Amino acid sequence: MALVHEPGEGRLAFQLAYGDTDTVGIAYFDIYYRWMERCYSTWLYSLGVRSGQMAEELGIVTVGLSSGCRYLDTVRVFDEIVCQAVAEHVGQSSYAIGFEFTRDDALVTKGQMVFAARNPADFGKASLPDALRKAIHSLPRPRFDVRV
């Protein structure tokens, strides 16, 4: 497989190295959180949105409400993995981004991050701006029916 990073599509690919694994070469659980964040932030950046500048650019800030991963298969050193961000839920003031980690097109891990929009002045609930809503809707729908 050719490892292709496509941030505008919410997709990145990577090959595990020993630093991603435990002493026997099995993926260490916390690597998925690093890859979810990297996939999410580079996807937003490719669309011209920077999380740290949302207050100035969109009039809101986002806060993480929850995150999680479900591990479905063993991933080992040198496996080639694709992380695809998917639009799981878009509400009035919150949204959930899923992350489907696949090896050879088979799901190995499913992750999720849930965010809420807040007013930067008082951290009160805020509506999702149209630009952010449109960006989230540009992501594909989940391919796999797995709950985190």
Side-chain angles (χ1 to χ4, degrees):
M1 160 174 76
L3 296 175
V4 178
H5 182 60
E6 299 171 309
E9 302 297 319
R11 183 172 35 258
L12 61 89
F14 57 96
Q15 184 175 34
L16 269 69
Y18 281 108
D20 300 316
T21 67
D22 60 17
T23 57
V24 295
I26 296 173
Y28 190 66
F29 75 93
D30 78 337
I31 68 155
Y32 296 100
Y33 288 88
R34 292 191 312 255
W35 288 109
M36 289 188 310
E37 192 286 324
R38 182 172 292 174
C39 185
Y40 176 74
S41 62
T42 59
W43 164 70
L44 280 177
Y45 180 73
S46 76
L47 300 175
V49 178
R50 293 181 188 222
S51 294
Q53 297 173 347
M54 282 188 182
E56 298 84 20
E57 296 173 359
L58 300 177
I60 62 150
V61 294
T62 57
V63 296
L65 295 179
S66 66
S67 64
C69 276
R70 184 160 179 198
Y71 311 104
L72 304 164
D73 200 359
T74 301
V75 176
R76 298 182 184 279
V77 68
F78 304 124
D79 280 357
E80 294 178 343
I81 304 297
V82 174
C83 176
Q84 175 65 61
V86 295
E88 292 209 338
H89 171 77
V90 182
Q92 287 301 98
S93 63
S94 65
Y95 58 98
I97 303 295
F99 298 90
E100 297 176 338
F101 291 87
T102 57
R103 177 185 52 222
D104 298 326
D105 214 32
L107 187 67
V108 294
T109 300
K110 175 68 183 260
Q112 183 184 69
M113 297 184 342
V114 180
F115 297 93
R118 296 292 185 249
N119 180 319
D122 63 5
F123 263 59
K125 190 182 274 190
S127 294
L128 294 178
D130 289 337
L132 184 55
R133 184 178 302 282
K134 182 179 176 184
I136 297 164
H137 282 298
S138 76
L139 289 171
R141 300 291 307 151
R143 286 180 41 208
F144 303 94
D145 186 24
V146 173
R147 299 275 182 225
V148 177

